[in-house]
Amino acid sequence: MGPPSGAVLVGRVTGPAPGPVDGEEFVDGQEFVDGEDFVDEAMDGQGDGSVDGEGDDDRVPVTRTVDGGIAKLMPDVDRPRAWLLTVDGSPQSYVDLDDPLHLEFEYVRRLAHAVDCAAADGAPLDVFHLGGGALTLPRWIAATRPGSRQTVAEADGRLAELVAELLPPPPGADVTVRTADARDELERAPADSADVVIADVFGGSRVPAQVTSLGYARAADRVLRPGGLYAANLADGAPFDFLRSQLATFAAVFAELALIAEPAVLRGRRFGNAVLLASQGPVDTASLARRTAADAFPARVEHGRSLARLTGDARPVRDEDAVPSPRPPDGAFGVG
């Protein structure tokens, strides 16, 4: 997962399929990518067995049919045990089995920054992931916060099986993957059971309607402990009708909001990812702004009055009025 200059991302699937921002994925999220050095020859048949070999020459792409389409695992020729997951040609996740701290996609780094600003360094967390993909963030949290307990709701059962078979989490990582719709699993979860809820839910390249409404936001609030953090990967472009509706919806439920996105996206110059943060407690926007500004592809953190201006007269979304996020422009997703 990672955006080269000018790339755009999206998110993961928990219903129909997965989603986009500045450079990334469908399962773990979705991101627009260009110019990446991945092996892209399809392998005959369905591909089975371990994806790992002794060197780059021993690794071959693996192709499988999953519930959301055709999944392909492609080795990164620059990193000996790194893999890009695509579904129907859209980048979904990037995983380096040797280095779980390597977060290739920009929007995933921004989600990681949000987690790091929500709790003391190294403190274990109870995390509920909506959308799993290749489990990039669960691996990162397990490595940076040992003792964390993590639950993943992944709607695509065959994709989850593929990841468990070929890209399993490291031994000792307390990660439970459940094949379930994101909202259904969220509504089944116990109240006050999570420190962080991370949503990277996409059906195809769009955020499904069922995770955009007031009912969904209230369900997330119920599952979070006091002061807990909700973080979601979204995708939109000017005039930001979808993004503004999400800001209004979560502002109706949570006391504090923030938004992380690249300046070009916020100025309406291109379609891209935006990370929405919501909490009943303070969001450390100063620390977030420092971290996101220092990234290879800097982002801005909007909050307070600037976020209110962006929200404008948008109204919260009721369940009966909910719609998916807009389709990205043609050619937004793909591997160059």
Side-chain angles (χ1 to χ4, degrees):
M1 329 164 167
S5 180
V8 186
L9 296 137
V10 186
R12 156 59 251 117
V13 173
T14 283
V21 166
D22 259 29
E24 169 141 34
E25 70 191 290
F26 142 108
V27 172
D28 214 343
Q30 199 156 13
E31 179 171 308
F32 302 124
V33 181
D34 64 11
E36 297 289 355
D37 291 328
F38 294 101
V39 177
D40 192 16
E41 293 92 22
M43 189 173 108
D44 290 338
Q46 289 300 96
D48 53 84
S50 172
V51 294
D52 281 326
E54 295 302 318
D56 288 343
D57 292 342
D58 298 312
R59 297 186 302 159
V60 294
V62 176
T63 301
R64 294 279 180 89
T65 299
V66 296
D67 299 337
I70 302 298
K72 185 183 291 186
L73 286 172
M74 294 183 287
D76 184 342
V77 298
D78 293 325
R79 301 179 73 93
R81 297 184 70 218
W83 296 85
L84 174 72
L85 170 67
T86 68
V87 177
D88 286 347
S90 294
Q92 304 299 310
S93 298
Y94 179 103
V95 172
D96 188 333
L97 298 177
D98 284 337
D99 185 7
L101 303 187
H102 178 73
L103 302 177
E104 182 77 9
F105 291 160
E106 290 297 327
Y107 88 85
V108 177
R109 292 179 202 161
R110 293 165 193 154
L111 288 169
H113 290 326
V115 172
D116 272 346
C117 290
D121 289 349
L125 296 170
D126 290 336
V127 184
F128 195 173
H129 300 265
L130 304 176
L135 306 178
T136 305
L137 271 176
R139 298 169 201 268
W140 177 83
I141 290 172
T144 59
R145 297 177 177 275
S148 294
R149 297 178 297 184
Q150 302 184 77
T151 299
V152 179
E154 171 54 63
D156 193 321
R158 287 192 284 183
L159 180 63
E161 291 172 1
L162 174 65
V163 171
E165 176 189 350
L166 300 181
L167 302 173
D174 189 352
V175 179
T176 300
V177 179
R178 296 174 179 161
T179 301
D181 173 82
R183 181 158 177 182
D184 289 348
E185 193 65 16
L186 184 67
E187 291 179 341
R188 283 192 291 264
D192 300 329
S193 60
D195 300 302
V196 181
V197 173
I198 299 174
D200 195 4
V201 183
F202 281 75
S205 58
R206 306 173 74 184
V207 178
Q210 69 265 29
V211 294
T212 67
S213 68
L214 276 170
Y216 167 75
R218 289 170 181 146
D221 181 42
R222 182 188 65 82
V223 170
L224 285 168
R225 293 176 179 139
L229 178 71
Y230 174 83
N233 176 34
L234 304 174
D236 200 6
F240 300 117
D241 290 342
F242 173 75
L243 182 58
R244 293 171 61 242
S245 76
Q246 291 307 285
L247 293 171
T249 298
F250 280 82
V253 176
F254 289 90
E256 298 290 334
L257 295 187
L259 188 75
I260 309 172
E262 289 189 28
V265 173
L266 291 171
R267 291 170 184 152
R269 294 177 180 171
R270 61 187 166 91
F271 192 96
N273 297 78
V275 171
L276 169 65
L277 306 179
S279 179
Q280 299 296 8
V283 176
D284 188 355
T285 54
S287 180
L288 267 175
R290 288 192 296 270
R291 291 169 184 259
T292 58
D295 281 341
F297 296 93
R300 285 193 350 225
V301 177
E302 302 290 346
H303 62 98
R305 292 181 179 177
S306 66
L307 203 57
R309 285 196 298 270
L310 177 59
T311 306
D313 59 358
R315 302 188 60 90
V317 178
R318 300 178 302 174
D319 276 341
E320 57 268 32
D321 299 326
V323 296
S325 63
R327 295 186 186 278
D330 290 344
F333 306 124
V335 181

